[in-house]
Each structure stands twice: as C-alpha cells, then as structure tokens.
C-alpha cells in the first residue's frame, strides 16, 4: 500500500440554502491540501448525499448548511449511514450552527462542527488526524 | 480643478517630502507593511494630493446633488430633507409570529417593512414538499397561499407602509398576493409602495434560490415591469442586487461591475419586450453591501451612482433624469460577522452603516450581532436599529450632503472603482452580456477566485480579523439565541391541508389551467397569476404549473 | 472473497471500494480483478470527451437518462485532472448528474487522473472492468480533452463521442490533430448558440479531408443538453454505430487489440520493474561508466541484457 494515500472528501450542501461560498472555498482549500474533493452542488437530500458518498467511497463527508435545518438534516444523514452499516466515514459539519445545537449533533455522530471564522488549516488538520479508513 | 503651475510645484514638493522627511522616519521605523491595500485589494498610497485627482472636472464628474451624474446623491437635499428608511429585514416561523414582529418594529420607530421568506417559499415549494423538510419557517416566514399573506399583514395598513420583499424566482406570485390582500383591505394597487427583489441573474451567480431557466425567468421579470408601470406605479419592480454577489466573495469593484452588468441585462430585456426605457427605468432600484473598508465603500457607492447615470444616459438614451438615478438599499455585510466575540459585530456594523450613510443610501438594514450564530433575537435587532438611529441623530454626518467629496483619497478611489468596473462591464459585453457571461461561468469564477484569495489572506495572517486570527480569547458559548419552534412545520402543513379541503378546488384547477395556457403564449402573466392566488391556489401549485411549461434551471458550477 | 461476491451481487459499496483499492494500487485489488476477469466483456464502453465547458456532464446525464428509459443500466466514470502542484483534485461532474444519484441502475464514480497524461486515470481501465463485472450494460467514461491528450480514451472505449461547442474560438483547428481521428460521433452541444452551423460545416470540411478507416463517416449530431434537445438522435447514432461495428466484426477486432495492448503494457511495466529492482546496482554502475566515457550506452545495454539472460 502507498504510504501517503489520497484522502477523498465529499462536500455536500443539504437543505435549500444557496450560500455555497464556504463550501466552495473549503473544497478548493482541501484540494490544495492534496485531497480529492467531490462537490455535488446545491439542494441535496440526505438520501442523495449518502448514496454519493457510497459510490465515491469517500473517507470524509463535509456538510455545509446555513439555513438552520441542520437539526433535522444532519441526524437524518447519520441515520441513513447507520442503516447501510457505514461506520468508517468521518462526517463533519459547518455553517451557521448555534453552539447549543452542537452537543446534539455530536451525539448523532457528527465528528466536529466548524462555525464561521474557523481557520481552514484547522479543518485540514482535523481531517488528517481523524480519517477512519 | 487645479492650475498647472501649482500642480508642478506640488509634484516637486512631494518628491522632496518623500526623499527627506519621510525617508528619515522610515529608515528608523519602517512602515508596518511594504504595501497597503483596501479591503478589496486596491493598492493604497501613503498620501493622496491634488495630483491624484488632477484630471477631475467638478461639474462633469461630481455635479450637484439631485442632478446628473448624481455622484453626490440623488436628492437635492439628501438627509437634510428626509433620513433614509430604516428597514430591518425580518420574518420567521409562521405568518402570525412575523406579524407580531412587524408590529413591534413599527412601534420602535422603524419606517418600512422588509419581509424575509423561508427557503421553501423562495424556491416555490409548499411546506409539505419533501425538500422543505427542516426548512419551514427557518430563515423567514413560511408562505403557502394568500391565506398566509392575509395573516402576515393583518392590522397593518398597506397604504401607509412601504414593504420590501426579498423574493426572486416566485416574485410575481408574492406580488400578486400582496395586491390581492391590499384589495381586501380596500387599498387599490395604485397606492401600494414597496419593492420586490426580483433579481434572478444574481441568483444564478451568488444566491442559489432559482427555479426556472434564464429565458422564462427574464420574461416573468419584464411582465412585472410592464404590469406595474400601468397598475402599481409606485412599486419598485426590481432590486438589482450586488449584496449577495459581495457576500459570495466579490470585491467592491466586482460588486459594482456585476450588479450594473445585470442591470444592463434587465434594461435590454425590457426594451426588447417593447417597453420604453423611461417607462420602467425610474422604478429600477439597487441593493448593495456595506463592507468594512470605510473609504472604499463610500467611493463604491459614489462610483456606482455615476456609472449607472452614464450608462442610462449614453447607452440607453434615457431622457427622464429619474431613469438615470441609482437609488439603492444597503445591508451591512453578513459575511464579516464573526461567531467569535459576537459583540464585536456591533462595532463592525456601525462602521459599515456609516459607510452606507456617507455613501448616500436610500434605505438601510443593519445586521444583528448574533447572525453568525443564528437568527437574531429581539434584543439584538433593537441594538442594530439603534445603531442606525445613533448615526442619524447623534453623529452629525447627516447635516451636510456627501461630506467626503473632495477628499483626494475618496475621489481617487471613486474614479478608480468606476474605471475598473467599466473594464469588467466591457469584458462582459464582449462575452455577450451578463446572462451569457453567467452561462459561461465567467462571473462565478471571478467571484470564487476573490473569495478564495480573501480566505487565504486570513489564513496567512496578512488580513486580520479581530477575535478570529488575532486577539482571540477563551469564551463561553453565547446563550439566549433565537430558536425557531420546530412545530412551525407541522402547523404550516396542517393549515395547508385544511385549506385544500375547504377552498373551491374546481376554481383552483381552472385558474391553473388558464395559467398553463398563458405561459405558452406571449401574454403578460400577471393578471392570470392574480386570479390564481385569489382562488387560494398555493405557491407550490402555481410554481409547479410554471415548472411544467418552463422547465427547471440546473446549475453550472466552476471552480 | 467478499468484494468479488459483493460486486457479482451488484453491491455498489463493494464496487466502490474495489475501485478505491485499484486507485491506491493496493495488492488485494489485483486478487479481486483476477477473479472478476471472467465476468467482463459484456458492457459497451463509450468514451465522451471534449474541451472544458463543452457541457459533457450534462450530455452524459441526458444520455444516461435515455439509456435508462430503454431499460439499460449505466456506469459512469468521470475523470478530471489532478493538480500537478498539490496532488489534489476538484471533481464536480456529479453536480450535473444530481438526478441520477438515487437511480439503482446507475453508478457514478469521479476519478482524478492522478498524474497520468491522456486525460484518463491509470486506474480507469481496471475500474471499467469492475463496472463491467458488476453487470452494467453501458459504461460511459467522461474525460476532459484538449489537443492530443485525450487519445488515450481510445485504448479503453469501444467508441468515442467527441463533444464540441460553438464559440470557443478556433477550437476545431487547434484540436483537430487529436480529436478527428478518434471520433466515431461528433456532438455539437449548445447548438442553440450562434456559430453552431459554422462549427458543423467546419467539422464536415475536416472530415472531407481525412478518410475514416472504416469508411464510416462519423455523424454530427446537434444537441442542447440542458434542454434535452438532440439526445434521442445521439442515442440512436450510438446504437447504429454499435450495430455496425458489431456486424462488421470491428468491435471484436478492436477489443482484441485492446487486450493485447493492455497485456503488453502489463509486461513492460512488470518486467522493467523487476529489472530495476534486481539489477539496480549493475545499471547504476553501467551508468557511471557511460558518463565517464568508459563505455558507450549501446555496449552497456548489451552487457545488461547478457546479465539478465544468464540470470547473473
């Protein structure tokens, strides 16, 4: 096996908001950090996100949401992953997410939630230290 | 403006000053950076003098307030006559809750309403659509039918307030509902004043709440232009928005350029649809962002005004001065708000609001300190409104018109921004206009490049964001954030099924069939849409009818 | 072997995982590919290539939908370039294929070229075999191609559709060297744009000049992928071409050549690997002597060959 293997990341926007500046900036930054980044575009349902993650066999799913629907959509994504018996994908989230909601999201299985202002270097570091496969 | 002799002397003296006085100091204590830049990466010199504005002609480039080219403002007396409209964008949950918030804001001295709709409404889905799951009532009020609009404006006299609605793809439908509810209040459409955003081009570029492909979308927009010029003459039929373009990462220059390029596209579409330019152009309005770099932002507003006036006069041969006036709403920059030390955001918003006022805005929304974390609480919204009121009543900046005019720096920046924006517009013209440039992904690419550069500057520490990459503290997570009741979705769905059981479903079907037919023709769709909403056809049903005829837009994404 | 069983039972996760192992050059991938080989050879492999911005993903999306309507299953491999500076890649082709994601008869995989030229990932050939064994009726490979680099797609695909659009400048002139020979079908996409007819004429003229070896002149289909225009015709032309090459035995011949070429590549790759591993010292010493003009490269080569053949 190669020693430095390429990390594959799915950047997904669940929900209906169209603010993809953050998602795109992160996608580029992860590419520049040597990762392969699959971007799926706006308005993705939890079902679509999980299916894309399977077909692309990614190591990481990065969810970006600014609409406030995270408490419904993030748990649904985790539930679907569980249903399919997938436990080796690192799932992280970001966007406008109130602090009070983070413990709940983590309990659902989201590994980390990054709020506005997080340096991208920190996100890259987190991914590198926590990929599961 | 300056005579040749004194300029020559100045030039010599400036060289002397650089080589003696400045040089001595720099040898001892160098400047903080080798080069300095504005917030949008325009290089900033150490000092500006008449040398930097020597080409300027006062009458030609600045003129007087209320007169062409409107650089100094669109009204002859500006804020000495009337202050800007303080308009806080609000709306969440159900129509009942939002109605309460509007009444509260009006009681606090706000002078206009600004309606935020939830995302399913903005994308033309009813609350019971599968994609609406988790989104109902979240970023704005949920509207499914005329019933909800009746509740939303209950007890608010629509002939007395002006209402701005942030709605784009389904703008025609929401406007139709507003006209219908006013009629029920006994207010005729001629008396209505307000704005619909109705700017689809920037949705494709920056905001993402599109439904239909560009062509039918442009047709809906020109239908609104035509209908309003006859029946709702005081209505601002479009708010051509740079706000979201800037939020997506554009620079100040790009904000001006891409917004005005979109404006040009709307004017061209309306002329092509057979309208006379002076018939609709006075009702065009704009919507800009106010970012942190105070002088650059003021210069941006001034440059935008001058450039638009020239475009309307020279390119479109408008005759009515009102067609040449760039009237605009401003909102402070949401993307500059930080989740860290959120109270710092109050200060950022103050500087940004000041820029908007010094730039001559017609109305202003100030963001609340907690918006990087959640929807704002009532307390936060009040502070934001008070910020505007302090600028208006205590700062003194309102007492004279365009007070920064004549600043060598500000005038130089104004010229530079206008010139660079014009270069972009030329490039976009070469690509075949804004819609083609968007289709090719050119505008998106330019914005994304700027967004990425901005982020890299923060990562490298060259750009400092207080509390984020400098002066950080350990802090407790903020408390008392606004939570939207998850019950909203259930309540809204219940209302919807009740409505569908009690309305005259045959009338609904007939109206929608008629709309389907009209959509295939060239006829103006507004009257038929008004008929539809009056039967209580839902927003989703109306949009689905149009989706079947028009198809749906699919994004082009480039990196 | 779990993965092999999974793939034969049409488990998408198993297929996805094996493709990952292939990309990582994991030795277990070879074991799985050995077992799967006998199940391959049933899919029709279609290459779709063209310059960036030609609307290839949209076209693939529409084509796949059409094939699904006819009850066929479709595997899609979308290849995008890896950044030579960072080794990373942005793979955005799925954006245009969102509506296919949940279709059980579709499998989409985005691949980065990972350093290989030719617009095709080194692992593409094996990934095609995985989807072939999985039982996909069609496998579409989408690659970016400008100039000569996309010729590699011919080595993997049974037939190639070249996508061009009007308004990209002198593209036909610039890319004809690479593209004209490999196209079985031309799609002029975004044909509602100005210049579409001119582009068609240009292609026709170029076809007049170069005689196709099959005596089958590549048809030109005008499409507007975003509104589904011309997709029926494109699909029909693909089927026609397919029947023709099957009937004439061209397909069989092509595949034999492909198998041969692939085997030759394998031999070259492994033999040179072994030689470099086992005779590394000798090669280095010879190299020194060549540099010092003690020996000439030709004699050095003969010496090396002798060593290898004698097993020294």
């Amino acid at each position: 096996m190669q020693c430095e293997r390429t990390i594959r990341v799915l950047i997904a926007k669940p929900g209906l908001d169209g603010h993809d500046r953050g998602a795109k900036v992160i996608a580029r930054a992860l590419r520049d950090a040597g990762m392969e980044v699959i971007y799926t575009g706006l308005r993705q349902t939890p079902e679509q996100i999980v299916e894309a993650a399977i077909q692309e066999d990614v190591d990481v799913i990065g969810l970006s949401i600014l609409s406030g629907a995270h408490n419904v959509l993030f748990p649904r994504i985790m539930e679907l992953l569980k249903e399919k018996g997938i436990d080796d994908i690192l799932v992280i989230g970001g966007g406008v997410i109130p602090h009070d909601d983070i413990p709940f999201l983590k309990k659902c299985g989201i590994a980390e939630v990054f709020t506005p202002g997080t340096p991208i270097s920190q996100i890259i570091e987190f991914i590198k230290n926590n990929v599961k496969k | 403006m300056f005579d040749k002799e004194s300029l020559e002397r100045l030039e010599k003296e400036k060289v002397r000053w650089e080589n003696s006085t400045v040089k001595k100091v720099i040898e001892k204590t160098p400047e903080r950076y080798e080069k300095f830049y504005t917030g949008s990466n325009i290089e900033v010199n150490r000092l500006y003098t008449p040398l930097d504005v020597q080409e300027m002609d006062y009458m030609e480039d600045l003129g007087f307030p209320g007169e062409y080219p409107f650089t100094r403002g669109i009204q002859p007396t500006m804020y000495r006559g009337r202050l800007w409209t303080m308009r806080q964008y609000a709306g969440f949950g159900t129509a009942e809750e939002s109605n309460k918030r509007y009444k509260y804001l009006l009681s606090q001295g706000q002078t206009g309403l600004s309606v935020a709709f939830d995302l399913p409404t903005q994308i033309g889905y009813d609350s019971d659509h599968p994609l609406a799951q988790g989104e109902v009532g979240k970023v704005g009020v949920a509207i499914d039918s005329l019933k909800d609009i009746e509740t939303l404006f209950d007890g608010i006299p629509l002939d007395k307030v002006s209402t701005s609605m942030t709605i784009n793809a389904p703008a025609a439908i929401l406007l139709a509902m507003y006209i219908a509810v006013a009629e029920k209040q006994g207010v005729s459409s001629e008396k209505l004043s307000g704005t619909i955003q109705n700017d689809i081009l920037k949705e494709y570029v920056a905001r993402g709440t599109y439904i239909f492909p560009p062509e039918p979308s442009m047709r809906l927009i020109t239908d609104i232009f035509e209908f309003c010029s006859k029946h709702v003459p005081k209505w601002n039929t479009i708010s051509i928005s740079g706000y979201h373009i800037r939020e997506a990462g554009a620079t100040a220059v790009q904000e001006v350029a891409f917004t005005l390029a979109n404006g040009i596209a709307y004017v061209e579409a309306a002329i092509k649809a057979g309208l006379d330019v002076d018939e609709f152009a006075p009702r065009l309005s704009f919507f800009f962002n106010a970012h942190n770099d105070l002088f650059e932002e003021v210069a941006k507003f001034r440059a935008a005004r001058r450039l638009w006036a020239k475009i309307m006069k020279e390119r479109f041969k408008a005759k009515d001065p009102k067609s040449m006036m760039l009237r605009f709403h401003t909102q402070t920059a949401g993307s500059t708000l930080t989740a860290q030390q959120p109270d710092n955001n109050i200060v950022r918003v103050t500087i940004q609001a000041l820029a908007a006022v010094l730039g001559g805005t017609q109305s202003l929304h100030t963001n609340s300190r907690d918006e990087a974390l959640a929807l704002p609480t009532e307390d936060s919204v009040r502070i934001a409104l008070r910020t505007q009121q302090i600028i208006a009543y205590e700062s003194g900046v309102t007492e004279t018109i365009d007070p920064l005019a004549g600043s060598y720096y500000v005038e130089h920046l104004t010229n530079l921004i206008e010139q660079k924006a014009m270069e972009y517009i030329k490039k976009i013209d070469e690509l075949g206009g804004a819609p083609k440039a968007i289709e090719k992904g050119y505008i998106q690419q330019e914005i994304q490049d700027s967004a990425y550069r901005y982020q890299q500057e923060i990562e490298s520490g060259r750009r400092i964001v207080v509390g984020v990459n400098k002066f950080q503290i350990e802090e407790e997570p903020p408390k008392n954030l606004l939570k939207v009741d998850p019950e909203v979705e259930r309540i809204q769905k219940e209302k919807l099924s009740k409505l569908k059981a009690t309305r005259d479903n045959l009338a609904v079907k007939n109206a929608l069939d008629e709309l389907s037919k009209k959509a295939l023709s060239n006829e103006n769709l507004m009257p038929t849409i008004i008929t539809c909403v009056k039967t209580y056809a839902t927003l989703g049903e109306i949009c689905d009818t149009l989706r079947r005829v028009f198809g749906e837009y699919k994004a082009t994404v480039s990196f | 072997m779990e993965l092999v069983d999974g793939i034969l039972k049409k488990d998408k996760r198993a297929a996805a995982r094996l493709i990952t192992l292939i990309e990582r050059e994991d030795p277990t991938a070879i074991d799985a590919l050995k077992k799967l080989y006998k199940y391959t050879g049933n899919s029709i492999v279609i290459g779709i290539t063209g310059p960036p911005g030609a609307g290839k993903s949209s076209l693939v999306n529409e084509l796949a939908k059409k094939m699904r309507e006819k009850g066929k299953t479709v595997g899609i491999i979308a290849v995008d370039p890896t950044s030579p500076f960072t080794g990373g890649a942005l793979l955005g082709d799925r954006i245009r294929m969102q509506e296919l994601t949940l279709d059980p008869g579709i499998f989409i995989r985005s691949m980065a070229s990972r350093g290989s030229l030719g617009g095709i990932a080194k692992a593409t050939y094996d990934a095609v075999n995985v989807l072939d064994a999985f039982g996909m009726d069609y496998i579409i490979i989408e690659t970016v191609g400008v100039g000569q680099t996309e010729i590699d797609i011919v080595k993997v695909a049974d037939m190639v559709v070249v996508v061009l659009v009007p308004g990209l400048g002198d593209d036909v002139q610039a890319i004809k060297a690479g593209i004209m020979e490999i196209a079985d079908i031309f799609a002029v996409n975004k044909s509602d744009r100005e210049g579409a007819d001119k582009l068609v004429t240009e292609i026709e003229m170029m076809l007049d000049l170069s005689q196709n070896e099959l005596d089958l002149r590549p048809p030109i289909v005008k499409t507007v992928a975003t509104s589904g225009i011309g997709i029926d015709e494109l699909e029909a032309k693909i089927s026609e071409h397919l029947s023709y090459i099957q009937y004439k035995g061209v397909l069989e011949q092509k595949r034999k050549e492909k198998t041969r070429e692939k085997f030759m590549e394998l031999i070259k790759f492994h033999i040179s690997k072994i030689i470099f591993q086992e005779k590394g010292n000798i090669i280095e010493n010879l190299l020194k002597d060549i540099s010092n003009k003690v020996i000439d490269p030709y004699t050095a080569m003969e010496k090396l060959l002798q060593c290898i053949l004698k097993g020294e």
Side-chain angles (χ1 to χ4, degrees):
Chain A
M1 200 181 276
Q2 287 183 311
C3 34
E4 180 85 16
R5 65 173 193 76
T6 311
I7 297 172
R8 285 170 65 86
V9 187
L10 181 79
I11 296 289
K13 273 198 68 63
L16 298 179
D17 81 86
H19 302 288
D20 55 0
R21 172 182 183 168
K24 285 177 180 165
V25 165
I26 289 199
R28 273 201 195 193
L30 296 184
R31 174 198 60 188
D32 290 351
M35 302 181 197
E36 287 178 4
V37 184
I38 295 120
Y39 182 57
T40 53
L42 302 178
R43 301 186 200 171
Q44 295 295 287
T45 63
E47 287 77 9
Q48 285 175 312
I49 291 169
V50 169
E51 187 57 37
I54 288 173
Q55 294 179 14
E56 299 292 352
D57 193 28
V58 293
D59 306 287
V60 184
I61 301 176
L63 301 168
S64 162
I65 193 164
L66 285 87
S67 72
H70 49 269
N71 280 346
V72 176
L73 299 175
F74 283 15
R76 178 77 189 127
I77 289 163
M78 297 314 297
E79 203 179 287
L80 285 168
L81 286 171
K82 212 168 160 190
E83 267 172 33
K84 308 231 171 195
I86 298 169
D87 54 7
D88 55 358
I89 298 181
L90 177 74
V91 185
I92 55 179
V96 178
I97 294 173
H99 250 277
D100 292 355
D101 293 348
I102 295 176
F104 166 70
L105 296 176
K106 285 194 172 173
K107 219 182 94 195
C108 296
I110 306 288
E112 193 54 88
V113 175
F114 300 99
T115 49
T118 311
I120 295 184
S121 51
Q122 194 181 319
I123 300 173
I124 293 169
E125 202 61 18
F126 184 86
I127 291 176
K128 285 187 172 164
N129 292 334
N130 290 281
V131 278
K132 297 180 184 177
K133 284 177 220 175
Chain B
M1 295 212 307
F2 306 94
D3 65 84
K4 211 177 148 208
E5 200 179 314
S6 60
L7 281 174
E8 275 167 11
R9 209 179 73 218
L10 179 60
E11 198 162 6
K12 266 187 221 146
E13 287 294 311
K14 194 176 169 218
V15 172
R16 179 198 54 75
W17 173 73
E18 299 259 2
N19 291 338
S20 58
T21 314
V22 175
K23 207 174 167 196
K24 258 185 258 160
V25 173
I26 287 185
E27 274 164 8
K28 266 192 232 151
T29 30
E31 293 181 318
R32 286 178 293 120
Y33 299 106
E34 204 169 300
K35 285 180 171 183
F36 289 77
Y37 299 94
T38 65
S40 295
N41 287 332
I42 295 175
E43 197 180 336
V44 181
N45 297 339
R46 181 176 298 120
L47 188 77
Y48 290 87
T49 67
L51 292 168
D52 298 288
V53 291
Q54 52 183 301
E55 305 292 325
M56 199 167 79
D57 179 288
Y58 184 87
M59 276 317 294
E60 200 172 295
D61 295 322
L62 300 181
F64 288 100
E67 290 179 7
Y68 186 84
F70 304 100
T71 314
R72 305 205 61 182
I74 60 158
Q75 292 118 358
T77 59
M78 286 304 289
Y79 306 134
R80 288 165 67 102
R82 199 176 69 84
L83 292 167
W84 63 92
T85 305
M86 298 178 193
R87 198 193 289 278
Q88 296 296 96
Y89 179 61
F92 61 90
T94 57
E96 285 84 357
E97 285 174 278
S98 296
N99 176 264
K100 262 190 242 161
R101 176 72 69 100
Y102 296 154
K103 285 178 175 162
Y104 168 80
L105 286 167
L106 290 171
S107 77
Q108 290 296 302
Q110 177 165 307
T111 46
L113 291 178
S114 176
V115 184
F117 297 98
D118 72 357
L119 287 162
T121 305
Q122 294 187 43
I123 303 174
Y125 295 130
D126 287 337
S127 299
D128 58 359
H129 191 282
L131 274 170
Q133 205 197 0
E135 304 278 9
V136 177
K138 281 279 155 54
V139 302
V141 59
I143 300 295
D144 288 326
S145 75
L146 179 58
K147 268 269 177 328
D148 294 321
I149 288 284
E150 287 166 8
T151 312
L152 189 66
F153 294 107
D154 183 50
I156 298 171
L158 297 187
D159 50 347
K160 301 261 161 36
V161 296
S162 80
T163 303
S164 165
M165 294 194 267
T166 301
I167 195 75
N168 293 280
I173 301 158
L174 271 301
L175 175 61
M177 288 182 182
Y178 195 78
I179 292 169
V181 80
E183 199 179 302
K184 292 200 170 190
Q185 281 191 6
V187 177
S188 72
S189 66
E190 284 79 16
K191 291 201 185 109
L192 294 176
S193 73
T195 309
I196 40 174
Q197 200 162 72
N198 200 21
D199 172 8
I200 200 67
L201 291 174
K202 65 94 175 50
E203 296 294 334
Y204 301 131
V205 171
R207 192 163 173 273
T209 60
Y210 40 72
I211 304 176
F212 313 113
E215 215 170 294
S217 295
M218 293 299 274
R219 178 244 179 127
L220 280 170
I221 290 169
T222 50
D223 279 1
I224 293 171
F225 285 2
E226 191 193 13
F227 180 84
C228 287
S229 72
K230 294 194 183 104
H231 305 287
V232 206
K234 280 158 58 185
W235 197 265
N236 297 316
T237 49
I238 193 167
S239 172
I240 306 162
S241 304
Y243 182 80
H244 315 90
I245 291 174
R246 189 69 179 277
E247 286 292 290
T251 63
V253 167
Q254 289 170 338
E255 181 188 355
V256 173
F258 300 155
T259 310
L260 299 197
N262 286 349
I264 289 169
Y266 294 123
V267 173
E268 280 173 350
I271 290 173
K272 207 175 146 200
L275 300 178
D276 178 71
V277 64
D278 287 317
E279 212 177 306
F280 65 89
R283 298 320 308 170
L284 303 178
S285 65
F286 288 80
F287 174 21
F288 288 113
N289 196 301
H291 224 269
N292 283 330
D293 190 314
L294 183 70
F295 295 116
E296 179 174 57
E297 291 302 292
V298 175
K300 175 189 81 179
F301 295 124
R302 302 172 85 244
R305 249 192 321 263
R306 183 160 72 203
L307 188 49
W308 185 248
K310 286 184 191 166
I311 290 168
M312 291 309 290
K313 187 174 181 177
E314 290 163 15
R315 180 167 179 159
F316 293 113
K317 314 285 177 222
K319 303 222 167 43
D320 185 348
K322 284 201 171 72
S323 300
M324 305 167 204
M325 284 181 197
L326 180 138
R327 295 174 301 131
F328 67 99
H329 172 68
T330 307
Q331 180 170 341
T332 57
S335 62
T336 64
L337 301 178
T338 63
Q340 297 82 350
Q341 306 175 44
D343 284 348
N344 294 346
N345 292 327
I346 298 174
V347 184
R348 293 191 179 98
V349 167
T350 306
I351 295 169
Q352 295 163 2
L354 187 62
V357 171
L358 290 170
T361 194
Q362 275 59 61
S363 61
L364 178 61
H365 166 106
T366 33
N367 287 327
S368 300
R369 59 183 165 169
D370 45 6
E371 286 184 67
L373 301 156
L375 281 176
T377 61
E378 212 159 83
D379 279 350
S380 305
V381 174
R382 194 180 53 245
I383 295 173
L385 179 59
R386 294 292 180 255
T387 304
Q388 293 199 38
Q389 289 161 338
I390 290 168
I391 292 173
Y393 297 102
E394 298 185 21
S395 77
V397 299
T398 50
E399 319 301 80
T400 188
I401 300 166
D402 189 25
L404 288 181
S407 149
Y408 307 125
Y409 179 38
V410 171
E411 294 298 357
H412 171 75
L413 269 181
T414 305
N415 293 342
L416 201 65
I417 290 173
E418 183 190 353
Q419 178 203 325
K420 283 174 179 271
M422 198 56 223
E423 283 165 17
Y424 261 123
I425 290 174
K426 277 201 186 117
K427 167 86 189 168
I428 291 167
D429 281 340
E430 280 165 22
L431 291 172
K436 283 273 182 301
I438 292 166
E439 195 190 312
K440 287 178 180 151
Y442 169 73
I443 292 176
Q444 297 91 315
Q445 186 69 53
E446 289 291 305
I447 295 171
Q448 280 160 33
D449 287 347
S450 298
Y452 194 48
R453 204 178 318 124
Y454 188 92
Q455 184 63 33
Q456 283 175 320
E457 286 161 10
I458 292 174
E459 301 276 324
S460 73
R462 176 62 177 86
R463 187 185 287 273
I464 286 161
V465 183
V466 173
V468 172
N469 62 357
K470 206 166 184 172
F471 313 114
Q472 301 99 317
I473 51 167
E474 283 293 317
E475 53 186 327
E476 285 284 299
K479 299 233 156 42
N480 302 323
L481 297 170
L482 183 89
K483 277 236 161 77
V484 176
D485 188 355
E487 279 289 276
V488 172
E489 191 164 326
R490 193 187 55 77
I491 296 169
Q492 203 63 25
K493 280 186 189 169
E494 251 176 45
K495 284 201 283 184
L496 197 57
S497 58
K498 207 174 134 202
L499 174 82
K500 285 185 181 169
T502 51
R503 66 181 182 184
D504 179 352
N505 280 312
L506 185 64
V508 172
K509 189 184 171 295
N510 289 339
L512 291 175
D513 286 349
E514 184 64 20
L515 179 63
S516 205
K517 256 186 256 158
K518 288 273 163 69
L520 284 167
S521 76
N522 289 325
E523 265 177 77
N524 195 310
L525 289 179
M526 276 307 292
T528 320
I529 292 174
I530 293 173
T531 311
C532 287
V533 304
K534 282 182 178 169
T535 66
Y536 294 96
T538 67
L539 179 78
E541 289 166 341
I542 297 172
C543 286
D544 280 346
T545 304
L546 294 175
R547 278 187 184 101
R548 278 190 288 274
V549 181
F550 294 155
E552 286 187 73
Y553 178 73
K554 281 191 218 153
T556 39
V557 171
S558 44
F559 286 101
Chain C
M1 178 158 194
E2 241 178 279
L3 282 182
V4 173
D5 287 347
I7 289 164
L8 295 176
K9 282 181 193 145
K10 298 196 187 296
D11 174 7
K12 288 186 183 174
R13 267 180 84 191
R17 180 55 51 91
L18 180 53
I19 295 176
T20 305
L21 294 176
I22 291 166
E23 286 190 305
R24 284 188 204 156
E25 297 177 21
D26 188 305
T28 59
I30 302 292
D31 295 337
L33 287 168
K34 284 179 191 167
K35 295 200 174 68
L36 286 177
Y37 188 73
K38 65 177 165 208
Y39 301 101
T40 63
N42 303 310
S43 309
I44 299 297
V45 185
I46 302 167
I48 296 204
T49 191
K56 295 180 292 296
S57 303
S58 305
L59 207 61
V60 171
N61 183 57
E62 294 302 316
L63 201 56
K65 266 164 51 188
K66 194 63 60 192
M67 290 165 170
R68 291 294 294 140
E69 278 169 26
K70 302 207 162 170
K72 304 288 186 190
T73 53
V74 187
I76 298 167
I77 297 173
V79 189
D80 278 311
T82 292
S83 156
F85 305 108
T86 65
L90 263 177
L91 311 169
D93 294 305
R94 292 192 84 96
I95 298 165
R96 284 300 195 163
M97 305 179 198
Q98 284 181 358
E99 57 189 317
L100 303 177
T101 307
L102 295 177
D103 184 332
I106 299 257
F107 180 99
I108 307 171
R109 178 65 171 229
S110 314
M111 292 177 93
S113 57
R114 298 205 181 174
S116 57
L117 287 172
I120 267 209
K122 210 161 55 181
T124 309
Y125 178 87
D126 291 329
V128 166
N129 278 340
V130 173
L131 295 183
D132 191 342
F134 184 95
M136 289 300 183
D137 297 318
Y138 288 102
I139 297 169
I140 301 177
I141 307 170
E142 181 200 331
T143 64
V144 182
V146 202
Q148 298 217 321
T149 50
E150 64 279 272
I151 299 175
D152 263 14
I153 200 165
V154 187
K155 293 188 192 159
V156 192
D158 294 324
M159 58 182 296
V160 175
V161 178
V162 169
V163 187
L164 296 171
V165 278
L168 287 184
D170 304 325
D171 47 355
V172 178
Q173 287 297 337
I175 58 191
K176 66 168 181 181
I179 268 179
M180 287 302 167
E181 291 80 18
I182 64 166
D184 297 304
I185 296 171
F186 286 96
V188 172
N189 195 29
K190 305 188 185 179
S191 62
D192 52 345
R193 279 197 192 167
E194 216 174 296
D197 290 329
K198 189 167 156 260
L199 179 57
V200 171
T201 316
E202 278 172 18
I203 300 169
E204 295 280 12
M205 276 163 59
M206 242 163 284
L207 290 175
D208 290 341
L209 295 175
S210 65
Q211 197 55 24
N212 192 292
E213 57 178 293
L214 299 176
D215 290 327
L216 184 67
R217 193 184 169 96
I220 305 169
V221 184
K222 287 210 273 183
T223 58
V224 184
T226 47
S227 38
I229 294 168
I231 305 301
D232 278 326
E233 197 194 340
L234 181 61
E235 199 267 344
K237 292 291 179 209
I238 287 173
S239 299
E240 252 171 55
H241 182 81
L242 198 62
S243 315
Y244 176 84
I245 56 175
Q246 274 168 337
Y247 169 70
K248 288 262 182 172
V250 180
L251 182 63
E252 208 191 323
Q253 186 59 33
K254 246 186 171 179
R255 285 190 173 178
K256 272 187 188 152
E257 276 167 29
K258 265 165 36 184
T259 310
R260 183 188 172 82
E261 200 163 325
K262 180 68 190 170
F263 187 51
M264 291 302 157
E265 257 176 42
L266 264 181
I267 294 172
K268 276 186 227 159
F269 177 77
H270 285 279
I271 288 186
S272 56
K273 199 165 138 194
I274 288 170
I275 291 174
F276 282 113
Q277 265 168 11
E278 300 200 345
K279 309 287 176 199
N281 287 339
I282 300 174
I283 294 173
E284 284 305 317
N285 286 335
L286 286 171
L287 207 53
K288 263 184 223 154
D289 290 346
I290 298 170
S291 307
N292 296 333
K293 303 267 156 85
V294 178
I295 193 170
D296 68 276
Y298 310 100
T299 316
M301 186 62 224
E302 281 163 16
K303 273 194 164 180
L304 179 64
L305 264 181
Q306 271 171 4
C307 288
I308 292 163
L309 292 173
K310 285 180 192 161
E312 275 169 18

